[in-house]
Amino acid sequence: MAKKRPQTKKPQKAQITDGARGAAAEGNWPVVGAREPCPCNSGRRYKACHGRAAAQAVTELVHRPFEGLPGECDWVALRELVPAATVELTLKDGLPEGVPSVTLATVLPMAWPGLRREDGSVLIGLQNDTSSGDLSRDLADILTQALTTEPGNPIAARRTSGDGPRLQELLDPKGPFEPVVHEGFEFWVPDAENANAEVSASLERANAAAIPTVKLTGADAAYWCETPEKNHLRWVMPHPEEKLLDALARLHAAGTSSLGENTRLVGSFRAHGLMVPVWDLPTGMSAADVEKPAAEFAERLATALADEAPLTGEERRARGGLTNRQVTLS
């Protein structure tokens, strides 16, 4: 579903003190209002002087925010497609004292951006509205806050600066990224069975809205889901979009783009710089049933991706049809 982005509040004005001017002289710009005089004493407003670069850094859209992270395709899937899942994260510099673990979650209770539990463990919510055009920087800011927040407290949303760290700077590039898909949101609380009535009611409502989803074991970032009308397979792929569209068109024109009888490739999403082909599946086709057909399709796709020949007329028509059925999520 499309997400509504919150309106960004105007920054509060701040007085420019002699100390602030000194900091500005050293290149450490204080936070001032957009219409305030720039601390560099240029005589111009901050937004027209040194604030211009900062504003651009905050608003510029990063099309592939998870590029370079382990499991980029799964990051995209958990952000856009999967209702309930968690992943243990590995920090580049190790866990700070008093923080036993850091966990990425698709969503947290009350739509909190992050949470520091009573035991000191940290949870980061992935499916939240963000304040800038760089999702990686926004999530890194939430992670940085959570690591120093007192245990037992959620993390408040805030506007990030354009020069803060990104996830690529905080997470171990060689660390594992192994999503665990859950049937519900019991991972919100350490002991869901003994939760109080209010928490139990909240969990029940969230669980009722979750679409049953399973991650395939034999294909990277491929997720089966069940809906009342039919089942689907949604597969986040790392290949360049134009090359992938050519390959899918070759398979579609040859009649080999399906995953078996009564299945069909119906289109694709575009999310965070990657393509997500989608197949319709029969209601009775389970995640286990689609494992083998998906593995066989991956072999056909690899062959089509390696084909450098120009598309035939029929393949070009198939490509046009696939392009027309493409939807951009982010």
Side-chain angles (χ1 to χ4, degrees):
M1 295 179 62
K3 300 180 176 65
K4 294 183 179 179
R5 299 196 178 276
Q7 295 182 348
T8 304
K9 295 182 179 179
K10 294 181 179 179
Q12 296 181 346
K13 292 185 177 181
Q15 298 294 323
I16 304 176
T17 63
D18 291 339
R21 290 191 177 93
E26 297 175 0
N28 299 317
W29 305 104
V31 177
V32 299
R35 297 180 179 274
E36 293 275 299
C38 188
C40 73
N41 295 322
S42 65
R44 292 183 292 173
R45 291 177 177 176
Y46 178 67
K47 71 174 184 178
C49 193
H50 284 86
R52 180 180 299 172
Q56 182 178 1
V58 170
T59 58
E60 185 175 358
L61 179 64
V62 176
H63 291 280
R64 286 183 65 180
F66 307 121
E67 186 176 14
L69 290 173
E72 179 188 7
C73 294
D74 282 310
W75 277 92
V76 173
L78 268 56
R79 167 72 179 182
E80 300 295 342
L81 307 174
V82 182
T86 55
V87 187
E88 294 296 315
L89 298 180
T90 305
L91 304 188
K92 184 178 293 185
D93 297 327
L95 294 170
E97 185 177 356
V99 180
S101 63
V102 174
T103 302
L104 180 74
T106 48
V107 67
L108 294 177
M110 307 299 292
W112 287 326
L115 173 66
R116 183 88 185 271
R117 281 178 166 164
E118 291 286 355
D119 65 355
S121 59
V122 165
L123 280 79
I124 305 299
L126 183 56
Q127 295 179 13
N128 289 304
D129 291 316
T130 54
S131 62
S132 81
D134 187 351
L135 182 55
S136 175
R137 197 180 307 278
D138 292 332
L139 291 169
D141 181 68
I142 295 167
L143 173 56
T144 301
Q145 289 186 72
L147 292 174
T148 57
T149 294
E150 287 295 319
N153 290 289
I155 309 303
R158 70 179 184 183
R159 183 175 180 177
T160 57
S161 66
D163 58 356
R166 306 181 74 239
L167 288 173
Q168 287 81 349
E169 300 168 54
L170 301 181
L171 301 182
D172 185 349
K174 297 181 180 179
F177 192 84
E178 300 172 352
V180 177
V181 179
H182 303 277
E183 294 183 0
F185 296 90
E186 282 74 16
F187 63 85
W188 280 355
V189 291
D191 188 5
E193 292 184 359
N194 296 317
N196 61 42
E198 183 179 3
V199 172
S200 296
S202 178
L203 281 172
E204 185 175 350
R205 289 192 298 270
N207 290 343
I211 296 175
T213 301
V214 176
K215 186 180 189 301
L216 299 193
T217 59
D220 291 336
Y223 290 82
W224 170 95
C225 68
E226 180 183 24
T227 64
E229 296 80 18
K230 61 186 68 176
N231 299 342
H232 305 279
L233 182 70
R234 301 178 291 188
W235 193 340
V236 187
M237 296 186 173
H239 317 292
E241 181 175 332
E242 296 302 312
K243 193 172 183 65
L244 179 55
L245 279 171
D246 284 351
L248 291 174
R250 295 182 196 279
L251 297 177
H252 203 62
T256 57
S257 64
S258 73
L259 298 174
E261 186 177 358
N262 296 325
T263 72
R264 68 187 184 103
L265 175 64
V266 293
S268 64
F269 298 114
R270 182 190 292 113
H272 305 291
L274 299 180
M275 270 187 64
V276 189
V278 179
W279 286 263
D280 278 353
L281 310 174
T283 301
M285 192 172 192
S286 68
D289 295 333
V290 81
E291 287 279 6
K292 183 178 178 181
E296 293 171 347
F297 175 85
E299 294 179 359
R300 296 196 300 273
L301 180 63
T303 301
L305 286 166
D307 190 342
E308 299 291 342
L311 296 180
T312 65
E314 187 176 358
E315 289 168 347
R316 287 196 301 271
R317 288 190 292 274
R319 192 185 195 281
L322 291 171
T323 302
N324 290 336
R325 297 194 298 274
Q326 191 174 51
V327 177
T328 300
L329 296 182
S330 57

